[in-house]
Amino acid sequence: MDFDDAETAYRALVDDHVTGRVPLADGVARFAAPLRAAWVEDRADDRVEGLAWAAGGAVAAAATDPEHHARLADLLAGVRALGPLTRR
């Protein structure tokens, strides 16, 4: 997934999450999946940075609306609870 595709995907995912269209567990899984795939499975170090920027940008854009803060905090706490990405 290139940066432009990742940016589109993460913005849609975050929008789905903050509007309540997806359950928290699904949002967390969808948020982490591209990063996990790039880091753990593909070992694509060069893609991880672009994905991280796209993910962070989507969260930052949604955070401009204070009504989204609680849901964003839940999403990020869920991602954090997955633990660090480690390679096998």
Side-chain angles (χ1 to χ4, degrees):
M1 178 182 308
D2 68 13
F3 177 81
D4 291 333
D5 291 338
E7 185 175 44
T8 300
Y10 274 112
R11 285 186 183 251
L13 180 154
V14 169
D15 186 60
D16 285 348
H17 176 71
V18 298
T19 57
R21 288 191 295 259
V22 296
L24 177 60
D26 291 348
V28 168
R30 286 175 49 200
F31 195 92
L35 288 161
R36 184 172 301 280
W39 179 255
V40 177
E41 297 162 14
D42 299 340
R43 296 181 175 261
D45 297 348
D46 55 329
R47 287 190 320 157
V48 172
E49 182 178 4
L51 290 170
W53 276 104
V59 170
T64 61
D65 184 340
E67 291 183 19
H68 296 161
H69 289 181
R71 286 188 179 264
L72 289 171
D74 292 343
L75 176 66
L76 295 177
V79 171
R80 183 176 183 193
L82 296 174
L85 294 175
T86 56
R87 290 183 171 156
R88 299 177 192 117

